[in-house]
Each structure stands twice: as structure tokens, then as C-alpha cells.
Amino acid sequence: MSNAAPAIINIALVGGGDLCVELLRRAAFDYLQEGVSSPILAVADADMRSPGISKAKELGLLTFDDYHHLYDRRYNIHLIIVLSHEKEIFQEILKTRPARIRILSCQVFELFWQLIAQEENKLREQKDAMETVIDGIQDFILVLTPEMQIIDVNKAFLKKMGFAKEELLGQKCHWVFERFSHPCDDGEFLCPLKDVIKNKDVSRRVRMMKGRDGQTRYFEISVYPIWEKDGKISKFIHISRDITERKKEEEEITNRLEQMVAERTRQLKETHEKLLHQDKMASLGKLAASVVHEINNPIAGTLNLILLIKRIMDEGPLQKKDIGQFKSYLELMETETRRTSRIVSNLLSFARQSKMKFQQLDLNQLIEKTLILNANLLKLNGVKVTKELKPDLPAIVGSEDQLQQVFMNMVSNAAEAMEKSGERVLKISTQFEKSSGRILVQIKDTGHGIAKEDFSKLFEPFFTTKTKGKGVGLGLSVAYGIVREHSGSIYVESQSEKGATFSVRLPLDGKTVANQPEGGLHGQNQNLNY
């Protein structure tokens, strides 16, 4: 070979028998594998038709019928190995050889050759055992050169990928795995061999590969480098495991989990809607009881006026003055009827079970409607209402029905909290906060406040401090959920016996505003995010 390194010792063989042929064949193969020239330069035998001479000619070596030619300095022979059992030849060479040429007898060489053969057999047995073990492993094992060529492969890989061993040896790994004519370094696929060289460590990853049948499969790959003494990589051991079935199982599990989550979400949504409805019905029950008197008064007044008109008409022909009276009676009846209609309409609007529908609405008007519905409740509890509703308040996007439910709960809770208070004042204010881009609604009462031990449970479902029969503990929990659905926040500030202030902040577009808290509680020595 033109680029081969020169041999350290040049050897000549004397004797062209079978042992010479075996030695030449082995030397030629071994040194060819190592990429260097064979150190055997010449063969000498009196019989130029001997098998050793023929093999030497085949390999392009020097051949002589007289071993004395080997002494010529031009051939630079360092060692003569005598492969003939004739003692005379060995003795003759021993006497006539130049001092610079060493000699090895046939008996000594055969001893070394037998030892080498024994070690070779051991190595072959070890290799066969190792190949049996490797072929028995179900993981796929390939041996690659630094040039990405496959030089060995186990049976598991051949069977799974549908190749014959002869087809793979010498092929580039990127062609076998990806059908690429170039290395897998185009951004989509990072070559694991290059990853090993870059990080100087084992590379592990999961990749998709295609078999000969075109079927895509998933493999868990580990690439181990084999280092030489000079720090270079001599080989790569590529070990992969088919995890396609595991991937499919994981995908099935993921799909099942997603279905379970979707089903659970649906159930929670239904439960939430039921809680909303239960709370609304509870509020509706309280409202119905409180507005009965409010409705009865105008109805009774209207009825009395109707009876009065009938009695006047029964007493005789109508006079001109009676027409004026009738007109004033009708105006009173119209006023009372409209008042009753307004109360009933608001009550029906609140009671109606409607879906979440976001639209533009005026919070000031919504609060006014809520106060109308709670007018009798507030009157019965002796509560004075003060309002500070900013007239230039911008409209927001939200659900009118559900936001009314929030304020309904807070107003009724405040009225009930002030039942035993000396001063009973409910203050409601609205304002637009330019800094946060939200509308702030504050509902402040002068009730008994919230006890320190109740702060952590205030928004929990079914928690209530009211006496039995006055509440089921859903009001604030439902209010909290509705405000969250509007991307808003609720804060409560309270000190025992000094009342409570509920602050509701709502974004104009119903979307989350950055860096805004979701909700919390503030009380004496309290700072709890909720």
C-alpha cells in the first residue's frame, strides 16, 4: 500500500512448505487489517514450484531458489526464519549469515506458533462467546468507526430492521437509520456521534427511525465512545432499544388521562353550575320573603283605589269633579303598578337560570338594580345606604347575571352582619383605577366584622358563621369563583367589631391584567393570599 508505514523488522522465510503458506496468509491478513506493510519481504526454497513460493509470488514478495541471496544488503533483511526441518540448512545459514542478520530455527518457531495458535483459539472462543451473548441481547448493538461506517452489528438489529449483515457492513449509519446521504446534523436531527465528540461523554436520546418496510419506530439510543491512548476515538458502540410499544402505551395512557381530566372538568363545571344555582335559589328565597311586603303595599293601595272608584260610580251619575279625582287615582295606580313591575322584573331577571354570557354592561346600573331588589331587606334591618358611584365609569365586559349575583350576596351579607350593630351604614362606591386598568367596587359595612380564626375559611364552600337556617355557606365561595372567571380579584379588609370592606376589582375586557393579584384577605395581623 502506498501510504503504509515501513516495517520495523524485515523478515525472510527459508522453506516453502504448508507452514510457510499459513504464515504468509496470516501475516498478509493481519497487517492489512492494521494498515501497514507485511514485514515478510522474501521466501527462499530450492523448489520454485513449492506452495510457499507460489503464495509469495501471489503476494508480490521476493522469491529465491538459493537462500544465500538473502544476505544481499540491498534487501535489508534483519531476520531469517527457517521453516525447513533439515538441520543442515539451519547449520549452514548459522555459519554463513552476516552478523547483522539473526536466525530463528524451525523448532523454536513452531513452539511460538503453537502458543500463538492456542492464544488465538482462546481469543476465538471468547469472541464466539461474546458474539453469542451480544446476539442474544434484544437491544440493538452496532459498532461504528469515527467515519460513521458500520463494522459490526448484532442479530437483533438485523431482524428488527430487515437487513442482512452483508448489506450493512461498510454502510454509513445515517443512510441505514434515516436514508440520508449526509450526516444527521441538519438542525432537525443532531448526530449522536458528534454529540459524543463535542461533550466527550455518552450520548443518550430518543429518536424516530424507519425500517426497510417504511414503518416508523421509536428508539432509545445510547452511544458510547471507545478511546485510544492518544485521546482519539477509535470506535463508537451504538446501543438502541425499540420503545415503540412503550411509546404507544404512554400515548394511550396520556389519552386516557386527558379523557379523564376532560370528564372530571365537565363534572366540576356541572357541580359549579349547580352550586351557582343553589346559591341563587337561596338568595331568591330571602329576596322573596323580603319583597312580599314591598309588593303588597302598592297592590293593596291600587286595590283600594279601584274599590273607591267603583263605589263612586255605584252612587250615581259621575260629576265633573269626579273625573279629576279619577285621573289622580289612575296616576297613583300607574305609579304603584310600575313600581311593582320594576320589582318583579328585577326579581325574575335575577332568578332566571341563564348561561354565562359576556357583554358590555354598566356596573353603576347593575348596583342600582341590586339595591332595588334588596330595598326591603335593608329597610327591615334599618340599614342606611350611602352611594359614591362615579358617573364617568367606563363599561366593562362581563356576565350581568353572575356579577349581579356577586353584589347581591355581598349586600345581603352586609345587611345581615349589621343586624345587631348600633350604627348600620352600608357604603357602596365605584371608581376606575387608571394604574391597573380595572374598576374597583367597594362594599363597606359597620357590622361585627370577621373573626381572626375565620379568615382562612372565608371563601370555602359551605362555611358560614350564620345561625342555622339563615345560610348554607355558598355565597362568598360562589362570588369568588365568578370574579375569578372574570379575571378579577376580591380583597377583604376587616377587624373584629369594626366592620368589613369587600373590594372587587374587574378588568374592562374580562381578561387577566398583568401583575395583578387574584384575591386575598386583610385583617388584623392578617395578610393571606387567597
Side-chain angles (χ1 to χ4, degrees), residues 279-436:
D279 179 68
K280 182 177 286 187
M281 291 302 100
S283 299
L284 188 61
K286 290 190 291 184
L287 278 174
S290 66
V291 300
V292 164
H293 181 69
E294 194 75 12
I295 294 175
N296 273 341
N297 285 339
I299 290 177
T302 302
L303 182 60
N304 288 334
L305 290 171
I306 292 172
L307 293 174
L308 179 59
I309 292 172
K310 284 181 67 178
R311 184 174 62 81
I312 293 172
M313 291 177 65
D314 290 340
E315 288 177 351
L318 295 177
Q319 304 295 321
K320 191 173 182 180
K321 63 176 183 175
D322 295 330
I323 301 298
Q325 277 186 321
F326 280 9
K327 188 175 181 181
S328 64
Y329 293 160
L330 287 173
E331 287 177 353
L332 286 172
M333 290 166 63
E334 181 185 7
T335 300
E336 292 302 297
T337 302
R338 290 187 183 279
R339 177 185 168 197
T340 303
S341 176
R342 187 168 62 252
I343 294 170
V344 172
S345 295
N346 286 335
L347 193 61
L348 286 174
S349 175
F350 175 72
R352 189 175 295 115
Q353 182 69 15
S354 59
K355 294 183 180 179
M356 172 80 78
K357 183 179 179 181
F358 279 66
Q359 59 187 13
Q360 279 201 337
L361 55 94
D362 187 330
L363 279 183
N364 286 343
Q365 290 181 4
L366 192 62
I367 290 170
E368 292 283 10
K369 288 173 63 176
T370 304
L371 291 174
I372 290 172
L373 282 174
N374 284 280
N376 197 57
L377 176 65
L378 296 168
K379 187 190 298 182
L380 291 174
N381 284 280
V383 177
K384 178 183 176 183
V385 178
T386 62
K387 297 179 290 185
E388 293 182 4
L389 309 180
K390 297 293 183 182
D392 56 347
L393 204 65
I396 72 164
V397 175
S399 169
E400 181 176 1
D401 178 52
Q402 293 204 357
L403 288 177
Q404 186 177 15
Q405 191 169 348
V406 171
F407 300 130
M408 185 75 70
N409 283 328
M410 292 184 176
V411 169
S412 61
N413 283 349
E416 291 171 355
M418 293 186 286
E419 282 180 347
K420 299 179 181 179
S421 300
E423 183 184 13
R424 302 175 189 178
V425 178
L426 177 64
K427 181 180 178 181
I428 301 180
S429 64
T430 60
Q431 62 174 318
F432 177 62
E433 298 179 326
K434 291 184 179 179
S435 59
S436 64

Side-chain angles (χ1 to χ4, degrees), residues 90 116 405 474:
F90 177 76
I116 291 171
Q405 191 169 348
L474 289 173

Side-chain angles (χ1 to χ4, degrees), residues 114-132:
Q114 289 173 3
L115 292 174
I116 291 171
Q118 290 176 6
E119 292 301 317
E120 183 182 13
N121 288 334
K122 289 180 182 179
L123 290 174
R124 185 178 294 109
E125 289 174 359
Q126 291 177 2
K127 181 182 178 183
D128 292 342
M130 185 63 68
E131 286 183 351
T132 301

